[in-house]
Amino acid sequence: MLKTCISAAALAGRLVAASDLAWTPPSLVPKAAGYPVASNISGIVPCDALREAGLGDRLLFATDAGYEPHLETWYAVNARLRPDCLVLPHNAEEVATALTTLVKANNGGGDWHIAVRSGGHSFPGSNNIANGVTIDLSMMNSSSYDPETKLAKIQPGGRWRNVYSDLHDAGVVVTGGRDGDVGVGGFLLGGGNSFFSGRMGFGCDSVKNFEVVLANGTIINANSTANSDLWRALKGGSSNYGIVTRYDMEALPTRDLYYDLRALSLNYSDAVIEAVIGYTNQDQSFADNALVTYWTHDASSSPETLVNTIYVNVEGNGNATSAFDKVRRLPALFKSSTVQNMAEAANGSQLEGGTRNAGTTLTFRNNPQILRQVVDLHEDFVKRLSDRMDPKKFTTMVFFQPIPSYMAAIAEEQGGNMLGLESLGGNAVMFTGGVTVDSDDRDFGVAKAELAVFTAQVKELSKSLNGDLDFVYLNYAEANQDPLATYGAKNIQHMRDVAAKYDPTQVFQKRIPGGFKISRVA
Ligand SMILES: Cc1cc2nc3c(=O)[nH]c(=O)nc-3n(C[C@H](O)[C@H](O)[C@H](O)COP(=O)(O)OP(=O)(O)OC[C@H]3O[C@@H](n4cnc5c(N)ncnc54)[C@H](O)[C@@H]3O)c2cc1C
Ligand SMILES: *[C@@H]1O[C@H](CO)[C@@H](O)[C@H](O)[C@H]1NC(C)=O
Ligand SMILES: *[C@@H]1O[C@H](CO)[C@@H](O)[C@H](O)[C@H]1NC(C)=O
Ligand SMILES: *[C@@H]1O[C@H](CO)[C@@H](O)[C@H](O)[C@H]1NC(C)=O
Ligand SMILES: *[C@@H]1O[C@H](CO)[C@@H](O)[C@H](O)[C@H]1NC(C)=O
Ligand SMILES: *[C@@H]1O[C@H](CO)[C@@H](O)[C@H](O)[C@H]1NC(C)=O
Ligand SMILES: *[C@@H]1O[C@H](CO)[C@@H](O)[C@H](O)[C@H]1NC(C)=O
Ligand SMILES: *[C@@H]1O[C@H](CO)[C@@H](O)[C@H](O)[C@H]1NC(C)=O
């Protein structure tokens, strides 16, 4: 009898808490009258364990006013999963406490798991979890420059706009993201394609030291002299070994960039493709110039399909010669050229998110025939989608980005990374296909299915023209792709060995299942 009453009272207590959520943090939920019920129990074993471990005021529950607004800091709507609770640590020690507490909680029983999140820009389920707890690094978002070591010390939860702005004040810049809203943590673990990549390689190649929390809570450094196997594995090898709590990056003196944005009519596609091909074939003496090109379809803009170019000279030289010159002479539907530092550029370039998103990637040889036919396949993709949903409810995009062969040499000079770029065996072009949907899950399901078809067609096309390459770049990959499997036998073995050595109980393979995991590579 008494037992039943206590349960009912406890339940009533929780209902009060839920209805009063706008101003009552869970730790202040009033005790159920007359019964000895602990008022601060959430009833969710891992979340209560975190509270008992002293992280009570780092927790965020669905009953907290801040929960829904915080979910909106995930880029894509479909990635805004609702965990049982989030824990937002403030430093590496708290990350260690959170991780070890969660690993021990209830001995792992039940069917709940753990996610790790930095900027939240990757695909759904990689950085968040519905059944379980998300370790969210958003509060660890500061950056500073140490003039003694000449390294920029960057925490994982920062967004590139904040990183550049903090570092600009110290007179330096790093090989970071181009969109200011993208997070540090995932970007640098997956590679990191930057305007500075022509000189510096992928962002991960600039990391001289990682501070890492291992599954057992030990905090270590990984660099060229200490734990160097882990250092190499973390450069492109993603979330398989530990939680990175600081990235120490080679810093460059800050400078102004020449930044040129254009939109052109689709009938200039061939000229833009020629520029991409030319760029990819340029030697490194042109590497201060960066080119990103993308085709977009949006039924609410006119014309509906456009070719867009972002041309940057990282030395601020607006008169440099490059394979882009011909495009600059074409009439543009829109154009802007400015000279600005990276903090300003990243702040001014932030895709909004807030839609259902999917994106896939492939790599092929630098063959203009392939690129031209991909542009045609994109038009077919748009037609199929328009047949099956309101054309105003989706947008599509196709990116081409040069991967010149010297990127492999830079990686090697910097101590090596996991991407296996040498296997490209020459200059290559990276393709990214994307779709955003602004309606509902049904439309999004259709869009994802059609994107998969489009991607398979691009793969077949590049095979038929002898231009197919295995490489799938992790940062642009969709969950149904397997980037780590394309990084070469030697790197796969290295990642397996490092995961086994630093995470012998397979916490990062089994308890933190989101993202690309080396144990799932065949
Ligand atoms: C609008 C937009 C623009 C983009 N631009 C670029 C670009 O210019 N160049 C480029 O290379 N990529 C770009 N990307 C891709 C981007 O690099 C990836 O989405 C990357 O994962 C984002 O980092 P994040 O911190 O936001 O990742 P999150 O989604 O938070 O994390 C990604 C993965 O890494 C894991 N992880 C995150 N932080 C840590 C950590 N500290 N320790 C261990 N594991 C961790 C997560 O568990 C997850 O599996 C872009 C993406 C978008 C949506
Ligand atoms: C609840 O709060 C009390 C008093 O602050 C504390 O002793 C107890 O450990 C807390 N319980 C949980 C589950 O956090
Ligand atoms: C950065 O972290 C601090 C706490 O360290 C927090 O107050 C602030 O809101 C964070 N900034 C962003 C943009 O998330
Ligand atoms: C490498 O790690 C060791 C051990 O923690 C540390 O003493 C050293 O300073 C680190 N090197 C760099 C470049 O951070
Ligand atoms: C390209 O298209 C634009 C607008 O659609 C048109 O004005 C222009 O004449 C076309 N140019 C060529 C070379 O076909
Ligand atoms: C290009 O050169 C002209 C003439 O020397 C100069 O006036 C101009 O400032 C230069 N533009 C840029 C962006 O460097
Ligand atoms: C960032 O962009 C916003 C909006 O355009 C602008 O108001 C703000 O001044 C910019 N901040 C910086 C640091 O450039
Ligand atoms: C933590 O794990 C690492 C890697 O397996 C190991 O070297 C270290 O001894 C462990 N530390 C403790 C305290 O168990």
Side-chain angles (χ1 to χ4, degrees):
M1 177 63 193
L2 183 65
K3 223 175 152 197
T4 321
C5 288
I6 289 175
S7 308
L11 182 62
R14 293 201 59 202
L15 290 176
V16 168
S19 63
D20 214 3
L21 60 95
W23 26 83
T24 313
S27 53
L28 301 180
V29 168
K31 278 190 179 176
Y35 296 100
V37 177
S39 58
N40 52 0
I41 285 179
S42 71
I44 298 154
V45 169
C47 303
D48 285 332
L50 288 167
R51 196 175 273 157
E52 258 168 68
L55 295 173
D57 55 3
R58 305 294 190 243
L59 299 181
L60 197 53
F61 287 89
T63 44
D64 290 332
Y67 185 87
E68 286 298 323
H70 188 71
L71 288 185
E72 286 176 19
T73 64
W74 267 261
Y75 179 71
V77 165
N78 47 318
R80 295 172 186 173
L81 309 180
R82 289 179 171 73
D84 290 324
C85 67
L86 298 110
V87 56
L88 292 97
H90 285 197
N91 53 49
E93 289 71 26
E94 290 187 3
V95 171
T97 303
L99 182 58
T100 53
T101 301
L102 289 170
V103 167
K104 282 188 217 131
N106 209 22
N107 215 7
D111 190 13
W112 61 270
H113 294 283
I114 307 162
V116 176
R117 183 265 176 144
S118 283
H121 272 62
S122 196
F123 59 85
S126 65
N127 52 25
N128 199 1
I129 193 157
N131 294 326
V133 179
T134 297
I135 301 176
D136 184 325
L137 303 169
S138 297
M139 301 306 262
M140 295 171 62
N141 60 6
S142 73
S143 312
S144 61
Y145 175 62
D146 179 350
E148 231 155 77
T149 59
K150 296 197 162 47
L151 296 176
K153 297 181 177 298
I154 305 175
Q155 289 189 307
R159 306 300 183 97
W160 287 108
R161 61 171 179 267
N162 307 126
V163 174
Y164 290 131
S165 144
D166 289 349
L167 294 181
H168 182 74
D169 296 340
V172 295
V173 67
V174 293
T175 304
R178 299 174 292 204
D179 178 299
D181 194 43
V182 168
V184 168
F187 177 94
L188 289 175
L189 289 175
N193 201 359
S194 169
F195 289 133
F196 298 100
S197 288
R199 289 281 171 223
M200 305 298 293
F202 282 93
C204 65
D205 295 322
S206 285
V207 181
K208 297 294 163 203
N209 180 63
F210 297 90
E211 181 189 79
V212 191
V213 174
L214 300 180
N216 64 8
T218 305
I219 303 172
I220 62 170
N221 285 308
N223 54 57
S224 66
T225 53
N227 304 306
S228 63
D229 49 357
L230 177 58
W231 175 61
R232 281 211 305 128
L234 284 166
K235 294 198 274 174
S238 200
S239 192
N240 279 289
Y241 331 96
I243 299 179
V244 177
T245 46
R246 206 185 66 231
Y247 299 80
D248 298 339
M249 287 182 84
E250 183 170 351
L252 309 167
T254 189
R255 79 282 305 283
D256 282 339
L257 281 65
Y258 178 79
Y259 197 85
D260 178 297
L261 301 174
R262 280 163 207 259
L264 295 100
S265 155
L266 191 60
N267 55 14
Y268 297 123
S269 283
D270 283 0
V272 175
I273 287 171
E274 230 178 273
V276 176
I277 300 291
Y279 251 77
T280 310
N281 286 336
Q282 282 174 169
D283 64 44
Q284 213 187 347
S285 66
F286 291 92
D288 289 331
N289 303 291
L291 180 67
V292 180
T293 61
Y294 57 107
W295 278 250
T296 53
H297 176 88
D298 180 349
S300 45
S301 79
S302 170
E304 295 186 352
T305 305
L306 292 173
V307 190
N308 304 275
T309 59
I310 306 173
Y311 162 74
V312 169
N313 181 285
V314 296
E315 294 301 334
N317 181 359
N319 295 315
T321 298
S322 80
F324 189 61
D325 291 352
K326 226 167 139 183
V327 175
R328 295 173 86 176
R329 290 193 291 269
L330 295 174
L333 298 165
F334 163 85
K335 102 182 139 178
S336 103
S337 55
T338 46
V339 174
Q340 49 186 329
N341 64 53
M342 201 53 229
E344 294 164 332
N347 179 55
S349 170
Q350 300 187 49
L351 287 183
E352 236 180 62
T355 52
R356 290 166 175 79
N357 289 11
T360 57
T361 185
L362 294 171
T363 312
F364 36 71
R365 290 237 175 278
N366 193 25
N367 172 348
Q369 222 181 326
I370 300 178
L371 276 69
R372 283 197 290 266
Q373 290 190 38
V374 169
V375 169
D376 293 341
L377 288 172
H378 173 237
E379 289 295 287
D380 294 347
F381 173 44
V382 166
K383 278 198 199 86
R384 291 198 305 276
L385 289 176
S386 304
D387 285 347
R388 304 197 53 170
M389 69 182 76
D390 179 349
K392 291 239 156 60
K393 294 299 187 191
F394 73 87
T395 67
T396 63
M397 59 233 80
V398 165
F399 284 80
F400 293 133
Q401 299 189 66
I403 304 291
S405 61
Y406 61 72
M407 296 283 290
I410 299 176
E412 205 49 45
E413 277 160 29
Q414 297 280 47
N417 68 34
M418 289 298 106
L419 302 183
L421 294 169
E422 64 286 349
S423 75
L424 295 176
N427 296 329
V429 173
M430 199 142 69
F431 154 89
T432 313
V435 64
T436 75
V437 170
D438 199 13
S439 47
D440 55 26
D441 287 340
R442 188 214 73 99
D443 283 353
F444 183 61
V446 168
K448 260 185 84 170
E450 292 294 1
L451 176 65
V453 170
F454 173 39
T455 308
Q457 289 173 336
V458 172
K459 183 83 182 164
E460 286 309 303
L461 165 71
S462 60
K463 276 186 187 160
S464 74
L465 293 172
N466 290 320
D468 174 48
L469 295 167
D470 283 340
F471 183 68
V472 170
Y473 175 51
L474 189 143
N475 276 354
Y476 298 153
E478 185 62 38
N480 57 24
Q481 300 190 288
D482 191 4
L484 296 177
T486 71
Y487 288 1
K490 210 174 90 222
N491 290 333
I492 291 171
Q493 192 56 49
H494 183 74
M495 290 186 272
R496 285 204 178 109
D497 293 346
V498 169
K501 175 173 166 189
Y502 291 91
D503 179 22
T505 59
Q506 292 202 289
V507 166
F508 283 85
Q509 303 304 316
K510 300 201 162 136
R511 298 305 317 284
I512 308 181
F516 296 109
K517 297 292 155 157
I518 193 64
S519 59
R520 294 197 291 252
V521 171

